Amino acid sequence: MLFYHFGKYILLLKSVFKKPEKFSIYQEEIFREMVDIGLGSLGIISIISVFIGAVTTVQTAFQLVSDLIPKSVIGGITRDSTILELSPTICSLVLAGKIGSSIASQIGTMRVTEQIDALEIMGINAPGYLILPKVTAGIIMVPMLVIVSIFLSITGGYLAGTASGAVTAAEFVQGLTTNFNPFTVTIAMVKAVTFAIIITTVSAYQGFYTDGGALEVGQASTKAVVISCIAILAADYIIAQLLL
Amino acid sequence: MIDITDIRKSFGDNQVLKGISATFKPGVSTLIIGGSGSGKTTLMKCMVGLHQPDSGMVTYDGRDFTSLSFDERIDIRKEIGMLFQSSALFDSMCVEKNILFPLNMFSDMSKAEKKDRVNFVLERVNLAGKNKLFPAELSGGMKKRVGIARAIAMNPKYLFCDEPNSGLDPKTSILIDELIQEITAENNITTIVVTHDMNSVMGIGEHIIFLHQGQKWWEGSNQQITSTNNKELNEFVFATKLMETLLKK
Ligand SMILES: Nc1ncnc2c1ncn2[C@@H]1O[C@H](COP(=O)(O)OP(=O)(O)OP(=O)(O)O)[C@@H](O)[C@H]1O
Ligand SMILES: [Mg+2]
């Protein structure tokens, strides 16, 4: 069963990446999706990022009870855990819920109302037209959102740390700026791109093969979120294993 | 001209089409009639390739369609217009964008030419000036008409209409029938209309195919349909109270 779906998924991807009929139309769609995915998710990503950073700082400070360890370490830990894990992964899980469900229900609705059949009758490669712009927009926008998230998360950590008195501003900044390894940012970007591909293609697959009516569209959208989340966490582990 | 030979199609154990052959001529609208669930939509979808028939052949003016791959079918598909039972308009686009869609994808027309074409087909279906409305803002009958406008935008050689007048009042439905017939004659289109509406049958039924139990049960014209002694066809034709009352008189 798993293999059957995986095979069907790969075949769908094959038709997604066929040469577009007309590039200008795809371009227009990509920009529309970029606004949808990028701007549309900026608000929620900003809010959760500030809290991620704040919580990380406060909890790290709580765990560092020893006087032997300088308080500046808090800044470093917040920075690294945000860049390496929290920003890319938590943002992607939230985006799986937001973008994933909307992609699955949008494509699923088009399937059950015969709009996909209408595309095919016109001689249009429906997987390409419907899915490629979403995947492209995701690959561009999710890393950008993750970068925004990293900055806001560290800012949130700074604010929470200094406000609670757990760490002084100078210590926090000193921690941020020492021992910075730029490779962690590369890993964050690799994760962001991988997760973007997972969210958009898994949800598109669920929507594209919806069969039935409104009820099944709802189920497809739930499945899209669940499977995307599991796949994201599995991929997260694999990337960490391979690159660290 | 479209030829189909011995089309068979099953869904699981449900044998829907049990070997159907027919010829559809250009300039004529052929009506496919039959009870609900008799396989009319399935036959149409097999013809345009939305369902793959289990066996049998479909040829468009001699070009074998069934054995082609998706990419090879595209040239023939560009010559096909189809109106779906549910209209299948793109929800995210206004009326104008819906009709422009195939033009943008496949034609080399200039912007002004495309605009003219949109206005021309909209006028043709009596919806001039409704360019900017969205599908959600249209009535069922208007959706059907936009569906027809979109189907004829590319000047198709083959037009498929699945129940163009279901859910419409008798007057509008006659208008739509006449519209389809006019377009067919004007442009010498090979048109196939699926219907179970006896008004359409009597109105535009030059060539009628009656499906029953997955087979072509009867074929003829509306002149012949009332005088045949085919039992199942008579049951279908005279099933309405109106017919019953008229017959008693
Ligand atoms: N995708 C499908 N999967 C399984 N069975 C199907 C499918 N499509 C149609 N069928 C079955 O095929 C039979 C014929 O359906 P079809 O839609 O062709 O009927 P129809 O003649 O168009 O009816 P109506 O006048 O109600 O539109 C039905 O028994 C239906 O259950
Ligand atoms: Mg039908």
Side-chain angles (χ1 to χ4, degrees):
Chain A
M1 198 58 192
L2 191 66
F3 285 111
Y4 168 77
H5 280 292
F6 190 69
K8 214 161 133 191
Y9 169 78
I10 297 293
L11 285 179
L12 179 67
L13 288 191
K14 225 178 101 193
S15 27
V16 168
F17 291 105
K18 263 190 201 159
K19 188 171 165 291
E21 286 87 2
K22 206 159 197 180
F23 195 72
S24 57
I25 293 181
Y26 275 66
Q27 204 175 6
E28 208 173 290
E29 285 293 307
I30 290 173
F31 285 132
R32 230 174 39 122
E33 295 294 342
M34 278 168 69
V35 173
D36 239 35
I37 294 175
L39 286 184
S41 313
L42 195 55
I44 182 149
I45 292 297
S46 305
I47 295 171
I48 62 164
S49 301
V50 172
F51 281 107
I52 290 173
V55 173
T56 312
T57 307
V58 172
Q59 290 188 353
T60 313
F62 167 75
Q63 286 174 307
L64 284 181
V65 279
S66 164
D67 286 336
L68 295 174
I69 305 170
K71 284 270 192 285
S72 64
V73 167
I74 296 171
I77 291 181
T78 304
R79 178 197 68 207
D80 284 342
S81 44
T82 295
I83 296 178
L84 268 179
E85 176 67 12
L86 297 174
S87 272
T89 310
I90 296 188
C91 285
S92 297
L93 291 175
V94 170
L95 290 176
K98 190 168 179 299
I99 312 171
S101 62
S102 111
I103 290 178
S105 58
Q106 190 199 337
I107 297 182
T109 305
M110 291 188 74
R111 165 64 76 198
V112 301
T113 55
E114 298 183 309
Q115 293 177 51
I116 293 183
D117 288 347
L119 284 173
E120 281 185 4
I121 282 296
M122 293 177 188
I124 289 162
N125 172 24
Y129 172 73
L130 292 175
I131 304 174
L132 187 59
K134 292 183 169 49
V135 177
T136 317
I139 290 177
I140 299 171
M141 294 318 278
V142 173
M144 289 197 188
L145 287 171
V146 168
I147 291 173
V148 171
S149 160
I150 289 172
F151 277 107
L152 287 177
S153 173
I154 291 175
T155 312
Y158 174 85
L159 292 176
T162 49
S164 67
V167 56
T168 65
E171 283 168 337
F172 191 86
V173 172
Q174 193 207 344
L176 274 187
T177 46
T178 43
N179 287 333
F180 172 61
N181 181 354
F183 187 59
T184 53
V185 179
T186 313
I187 293 181
M189 292 300 102
V190 171
K191 284 187 177 181
V193 170
T194 313
F195 299 163
I197 295 173
I198 290 175
I199 296 171
T200 47
T201 56
V202 168
S203 314
Y205 172 80
Q206 291 299 334
F208 200 81
Y209 291 110
T210 307
D211 197 7
L215 184 66
E216 283 79 4
V217 173
Q219 288 168 349
S221 134
T222 311
K223 259 197 201 156
V225 176
V226 173
I227 298 174
S228 299
C229 286
I230 296 172
I232 284 172
L233 293 172
D236 190 28
Y237 172 68
I238 295 170
I239 293 173
Q241 271 292 342
L242 290 180
L243 295 185
L244 281 181
Chain B
M1 188 165 78
I2 307 175
D3 276 300
I4 59 175
T5 4
D6 200 28
I7 298 283
R8 290 167 192 274
K9 177 75 186 169
S10 311
F11 295 106
D13 293 337
N14 182 5
Q15 222 182 335
V16 180
L17 303 176
K18 300 174 188 164
I20 296 186
S21 305
T23 299
F24 304 90
K25 293 201 184 69
V28 178
S29 5
T30 301
L31 266 50
I32 298 178
I33 61 173
S36 185
S38 59
K40 306 182 294 294
T41 301
T42 306
L43 176 62
M44 195 178 249
K45 288 193 171 173
C46 283
M47 291 176 69
V48 296
L50 288 173
H51 287 325
Q52 186 66 27
D54 300 334
S55 68
M57 201 163 78
V58 181
T59 58
Y60 285 83
D61 287 306
R63 295 169 293 176
D64 179 7
F65 185 70
T66 11
S67 61
L68 297 181
S69 72
F70 184 90
D71 291 331
E72 294 165 329
R73 284 179 178 180
I74 287 179
D75 286 331
I76 298 180
R77 285 217 158 127
K78 285 181 197 164
E79 299 171 358
I80 296 179
M82 181 157 178
L83 170 67
F84 285 82
Q85 195 161 357
S86 60
S87 298
L89 300 180
F90 304 124
D91 303 318
S92 58
M93 305 177 195
C94 65
V95 166
E96 182 174 274
K97 287 257 173 66
N98 260 284
I99 301 171
L100 272 175
F101 190 81
L103 297 174
N104 281 337
M105 273 289 182
F106 295 117
S107 80
D108 312 313
M109 292 183 191
S110 72
K111 238 185 171 138
E113 282 171 323
K114 284 191 264 193
K115 190 113 195 163
D116 284 347
R117 183 73 194 157
V118 169
N119 289 331
F120 172 79
V121 291
L122 275 181
E123 213 160 287
R124 203 70 197 70
V125 297
N126 269 323
L127 285 174
K130 307 282 185 208
N131 303 43
K132 295 294 173 203
L133 293 181
F134 278 84
E137 298 169 305
L138 303 175
S139 74
M142 289 161 89
K143 279 187 199 158
K144 285 263 152 87
R145 284 184 280 161
V146 176
I148 295 179
R150 185 177 68 181
I152 62 174
M154 288 285 281
N155 251 329
K157 275 170 81 175
Y158 316 101
L159 181 62
F160 292 81
C161 302
D162 196 353
E163 312 223 355
N165 42 24
S166 67
L168 302 185
D169 65 276
K171 218 168 157 188
T172 316
S173 100
I174 288 176
L175 281 179
I176 290 204
D177 283 342
E178 286 172 351
L179 172 68
I180 291 173
Q181 196 175 34
E182 280 168 28
I183 297 167
T184 302
E186 268 167 36
N187 304 303
N188 202 32
I189 302 174
T190 306
T191 301
I192 293 145
V193 180
V194 162
T195 184
H196 40 209
D197 183 34
M198 279 312 293
N199 276 321
S200 310
V201 171
M202 298 321 287
I204 60 168
E206 265 179 271
H207 178 206
I208 300 164
I209 290 173
F210 175 59
L211 290 191
H212 184 69
Q213 291 183 350
Q215 278 159 342
K216 184 169 86 177
W217 208 257
W218 184 87
E219 185 171 6
S221 73
N222 53 4
Q223 315 283 320
Q224 300 160 329
I225 202 168
T226 44
S227 55
T228 163
N229 46 22
N230 186 313
K231 182 168 158 283
E232 286 76 15
L233 180 59
N234 277 330
E235 275 171 11
F236 180 83
V237 171
F238 298 108
T240 63
K241 283 277 175 249
L242 180 66
M243 280 287 188
E244 231 173 73
T245 331
L246 288 179
L247 280 179
K248 271 184 199 148
K249 279 196 180 160

